[in-house]
Amino acid sequence: MSSRAEATKRKLFEATLRLAGTRGLVGLTVDDIATEAGVAKGTVYYNFGSKDGLVDALLRYGVDLLAERMRAMVTDGDPLDTIESQVDTTLEFISEYPGFSQILVSEMWRTPGQWHETLTLLREEIISIVKHQLQRLDDADRLPDGVQIPTAAAGLFGTMLVVALDWQTFQPTRTRVEVRDSIMLLVKGMAR
Amino acid sequence: MSSRAEATKRKLFEATLRLAGTRGLVGLTVDDIATEAGVAKGTVYYNFGSKDGLVDALLRYGVDLLAERMRAMVTDGDPLDTIESQVDTTLEFISEYPGFSQILVSEMWRTPGQWHETLTLLREEIISIVKHQLQRLDDADRLPDGVQIPTAAAGLFGTMLVVALDWQTFQPTRTRVEVRDSIMLLVKGMAR
DNA sequence: GTTTTTGTACTGACCAGTCAGTTCAAAACG
DNA sequence: CGTTTTGAACTGACTGGTCAGTACAAAAAC
């Protein structure tokens, strides 16, 4: 795996993300992706074997990018501050790669979708990051008794996705800070 | 419009809903829908003109069904009680028609999707119902100052969708009441 | 000299949409 | 009554286009 091949793969990822927002994954053709990336069709098959292979690798690529950024926000200060930074970083990621969250919401809850297995793994990756901060809140006895941490983490992740998409699609004039504050209002309502 | 044609259309709607959950709208073929409905392919085109036409009508059919049920929950008692009933009704609807919310989530934020115009309209229909109850809360001065009602309504609707789907897909053993209570925890955190 | 990419041409499965012909129920007729 | 007509509803084989995937020789990159 040379760095040249690495660069080609990245070009294909970015091209796919650019196109996936408007047309979705299923409506996307390999020819279009290759053209958008400025690459021959055969290159896709040389590097990924199939369209599925490309998408699968893309999902991992995107989630790793997001997870890395979220993990970089962790401090040992107030968990609520960490969560706020993570929400902010997530919103920034989504506005940077609008196509990616579209793919996630489109495919995440489709059973048995073509990429469901990969997505289940990736969902776990993100949710475990959120869970960790909620756990710290709980350790400090700042969550009400009824709250189930895995459920709350899954809910928070989903809410972020959906609110961010709604922001981009229907209320694009709002600022990221406004949107972040709306989400934090929910979190703070739940936490003490 | 005879009652025979009416029944055929309903059969096609129900069949589409049954199939859409697993394969999505784009991956769905008119042949499959027709077969599932026990009807010839031509019938789809006789009744709806195109696959798009069928889907468009289906979206309206589903949302009207949901909106009707939500509106039936409105009382002039405590707005929070109304919201709780509406959340419950929505969750029931989603578990009754799992395919429908999959479609909504997959297509709602795709711009410019084939059905985006219709979906924008339908989103307004549901959100206005939620907004009305939030407005009543606000009139009673039970919402914090920062809360923007349209934003909160959009967020609540999206959260319901996503949490319900996550429930169906990844945590199917939880009861509807548990899920409803998690959502109400968020609402109550926001309201007083 | 090995890995990676290119360009072009091709295949075959799949699928939206069409259309000539058939069924059906109800109305008009005798 | 029973028979005929009418138009709406439905059928399913067929068509034309699209697209994932293949083939491969030659070039470029390292």
Side-chain angles (χ1 to χ4, degrees):
Chain A
M1 168 82 60
S2 70
S3 73
R4 180 163 66 121
E6 212 50 87
T8 302
K9 287 187 181 185
R10 177 155 310 166
K11 271 197 291 184
L12 282 165
F13 288 152
E14 301 285 343
T16 307
L17 285 178
R18 240 174 288 135
L19 295 177
T22 49
R23 310 184 34 186
L25 280 185
V26 185
L28 211 55
T29 73
V30 176
D31 285 281
D32 285 347
I33 296 172
T35 302
E36 174 77 18
V39 140
K41 185 180 185 175
T43 304
V44 175
Y45 287 90
Y46 181 81
N47 281 285
F48 296 105
S50 66
K51 181 185 173 183
D52 258 34
L54 164 63
V55 171
D56 208 79
L58 169 68
L59 291 173
R60 291 169 202 274
Y61 168 80
V63 167
D64 283 348
L65 211 61
L66 172 59
E68 208 171 296
R69 292 192 193 179
M70 284 178 79
R71 273 193 280 261
M73 295 297 115
V74 173
T75 68
D76 44 7
D78 189 328
L80 268 188
D81 288 343
T82 294
I83 293 177
E84 181 161 317
S85 311
Q86 287 179 334
V87 169
D88 201 51
T89 267
T90 303
L91 293 178
E92 193 182 17
F93 176 86
I94 291 178
S95 63
E96 194 176 337
Y97 300 101
F100 191 71
S101 39
Q102 301 243 6
I103 295 175
L104 285 190
V105 291
S106 298
E107 304 296 330
M108 180 80 79
W109 300 281
R110 203 192 303 299
T111 51
Q114 299 162 272
W115 305 287
H116 189 251
E117 203 178 337
T118 303
L119 280 168
T120 303
L121 245 54
L122 299 180
R123 173 180 173 274
E124 286 307 322
E125 183 171 354
I126 300 292
I127 285 184
S128 82
I129 297 174
V130 178
K131 254 198 297 213
H132 193 246
Q133 296 310 310
L134 290 179
Q135 187 60 60
R136 284 181 63 210
L137 270 179
D138 196 41
D139 290 347
D141 214 21
R142 292 165 69 192
L143 287 183
D145 282 346
V147 176
Q148 314 241 346
I149 292 182
T151 304
L156 180 54
F157 173 53
T159 299
M160 268 194 303
L161 269 184
V162 158
V163 171
L165 281 173
D166 219 76
W167 162 42
Q168 302 269 315
T169 312
F170 295 105
Q171 316 169 337
T173 59
R174 296 177 71 206
T175 67
R176 195 176 78 233
V177 173
E178 281 177 315
V179 177
R180 183 198 66 196
D181 288 346
S182 317
I183 294 175
M184 288 311 293
L185 206 65
L186 290 179
V187 177
K188 284 175 181 157
M190 196 172 65
R192 273 171 251 181
Chain B
M1 173 76 62
S2 71
S3 72
R4 182 178 169 211
E6 209 57 84
T8 302
K9 286 187 181 185
R10 177 155 306 166
K11 271 196 292 184
L12 282 166
F13 287 151
E14 300 286 343
T16 307
L17 285 177
R18 240 173 288 136
L19 295 177
T22 50
R23 310 185 36 186
L25 280 186
V26 184
L28 209 54
T29 71
V30 175
D31 285 281
D32 285 347
I33 295 172
T35 302
E36 174 77 18
V39 138
K41 186 179 191 177
T43 303
V44 174
Y45 289 89
Y46 179 81
N47 281 286
F48 297 105
S50 66
K51 182 184 173 185
D52 259 32
L54 164 63
V55 171
D56 209 78
L58 169 68
L59 291 174
R60 291 168 201 275
Y61 169 79
V63 167
D64 283 348
L65 211 61
L66 172 59
E68 207 172 299
R69 292 194 192 179
M70 285 178 78
R71 274 193 279 261
M73 295 296 116
V74 174
T75 67
D76 45 7
D78 189 327
L80 269 188
D81 289 342
T82 294
I83 293 177
E84 181 161 316
S85 311
Q86 287 179 334
V87 169
D88 202 51
T89 270
T90 303
L91 292 178
E92 194 183 14
F93 177 85
I94 291 177
S95 63
E96 194 176 336
Y97 300 100
F100 191 72
S101 40
Q102 301 244 7
I103 295 175
L104 285 190
V105 172
S106 300
E107 305 296 331
M108 180 81 78
W109 299 284
R110 205 195 295 302
T111 51
Q114 299 161 273
W115 305 287
H116 188 253
E117 203 180 337
T118 303
L119 280 167
T120 303
L121 242 54
L122 299 181
R123 172 178 173 276
E124 287 307 320
E125 182 170 354
I126 300 293
I127 285 183
S128 82
I129 297 175
V130 178
K131 254 197 298 212
H132 192 246
Q133 297 309 311
L134 290 179
Q135 187 61 59
R136 283 182 63 209
L137 270 179
D138 195 41
D139 290 345
D141 216 20
R142 291 166 70 191
L143 287 183
D145 281 347
V147 175
Q148 313 242 346
I149 291 181
T151 304
L156 180 54
F157 173 54
T159 300
M160 268 193 302
L161 269 184
V162 158
V163 170
L165 281 173
D166 219 77
W167 162 42
Q168 302 270 313
T169 311
F170 295 106
Q171 316 170 335
T173 60
R174 297 177 71 206
T175 65
R176 195 176 79 229
V177 173
E178 281 177 314
V179 177
R180 183 197 66 195
D181 289 346
S182 318
I183 294 175
M184 288 311 293
L185 207 65
L186 290 179
V187 176
K188 283 175 181 157
M190 195 173 65
R192 272 172 249 178

